[in-house]
């Protein structure tokens, strides 16, 4: 029997996990777009992450991925591809613990200018900007990046193409 799906606020939860769609957005030079986030009350506690967020109401993960991408980056010219990876994660942020089931979609775009257009209040207080990264830059980065194996995962994607079915990543608990 499938887990019961409930709605809390705007986000959709299943089995106690927030359902999340994330986007591995690549430009024509195979650079990946990452957002720079931080704790709302402590900008020094920062990290980089892929665009995306929780499903709202009855929307599909694909719909959530595209909506979140527009809200967080302003990018609308996107070719959404397959799910690359799935992971469960748990982390503290903004005074609470977030338990998530994340699906990472491959997407391609030629649009590289970004402008956040629909950030929530919490996102306005915790997202400092966006940057396109080459795989080599990501491999050499000393910053915190989520998921933690992103450089390795991106290298495999660029070398081998998308997997035949989504790769299940190790659960990350911060």
């Amino acid at each position: 029997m499938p887990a019961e799906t409930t709605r809390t606020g705007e986000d959709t939860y299943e089995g106690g996990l927030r359902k999340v769609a994330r986007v591995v957005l690549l430009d024509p030079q195979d650079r990946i777009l990452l957002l720079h986030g931080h704790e709302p009350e402590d900008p020094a506690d920062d990290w980089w992450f892929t665009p995306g967020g929780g499903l709202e109401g009855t929307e599909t993960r694909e719909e959530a991925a595209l909506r979140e991408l527009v809200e967080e980056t302003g990018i609308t010219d996107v070719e959404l591809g397959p799910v690359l990876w799935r992971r469960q994660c748990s982390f503290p942020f903004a005074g609470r613990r977030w338990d998530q089931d994340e699906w990472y979609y491959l997407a391609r775009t030629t649009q590289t200018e970004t402008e956040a257009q629909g950030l929530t209040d919490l996102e306005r207080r915790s997202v400092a900007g966006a940057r396109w990264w080459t795989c080599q830059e990501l491999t050499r980065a000393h910053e915190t990046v989520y998921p933690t194996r992103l450089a390795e995962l991106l290298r495999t994607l660029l070398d081998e193409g998308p997997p035949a079915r989504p790769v299940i990543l190790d659960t990350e608990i911060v």
Side-chain angles (χ1 to χ4, degrees), residues 6 28 33-34 40 46 81 90 97 101 103 116 132 141 150:
T6 59
L33 182 67
L34 297 179
D46 68 331
S90 179
R97 179 149 291 275
D101 174 37
W103 292 19
W132 292 95
L150 185 58

Side-chain angles (χ1 to χ4, degrees), residues 46-161:
D46 68 331
W47 56 87
W48 292 88
F49 63 102
T50 58
L55 278 64
E56 294 181 356
T58 60
E59 74 183 343
T60 66
R61 291 207 196 232
E62 293 87 355
E63 291 166 341
L66 294 172
R67 174 186 50 76
E68 287 283 341
L69 193 60
V70 171
E71 290 174 359
E72 295 175 347
T73 70
I75 295 176
T76 57
D77 179 24
V78 174
E79 180 184 324
L80 192 63
V83 177
L84 300 170
W85 317 308
R86 292 180 57 183
R87 79 165 181 162
Q88 291 186 1
C89 61
S90 179
F91 54 91
F93 174 67
R96 65 170 277 221
R97 179 149 291 275
W98 300 74
D99 299 311
Q100 301 190 152
D101 174 37
E102 299 182 336
W103 292 19
Y104 289 80
Y105 286 86
L106 175 61
R108 291 272 184 184
T109 188
T110 57
Q111 183 182 345
T112 57
E113 292 296 317
T114 63
E115 180 182 350
Q117 297 182 343
L119 298 182
T120 65
D121 178 60
L122 179 57
E123 288 168 332
R124 282 191 295 279
R125 294 185 292 123
S126 62
V127 177
R131 175 182 163 199
W132 292 95
W133 295 71
T134 66
C135 190
Q136 186 175 29
E137 289 170 333
L138 199 54
T139 300
R140 291 191 313 241
H142 295 291
E143 293 92 344
T144 300
V145 177
Y146 294 109
T148 55
R149 292 179 43 227
L150 185 58
E152 172 191 338
L153 293 164
L154 180 60
R155 177 78 276 147
T156 301
L157 172 65
L158 295 176
D159 289 348
E160 300 174 11

Side-chain angles (χ1 to χ4, degrees), residues 12-29:
T12 302
Y13 288 77
E14 184 170 316
L17 295 173
R18 180 176 183 241
K19 294 171 70 172
V20 171
R22 298 210 161 278
V23 181
V24 176
L25 185 63
L26 302 178
D27 73 0
Q29 289 76 45

Side-chain angles (χ1 to χ4, degrees), residues 158-172:
L158 295 176
D159 289 348
E160 300 174 11
R165 58 185 175 273
V167 173
I168 306 301
L169 304 181
D170 291 338
T171 298
E172 286 192 51

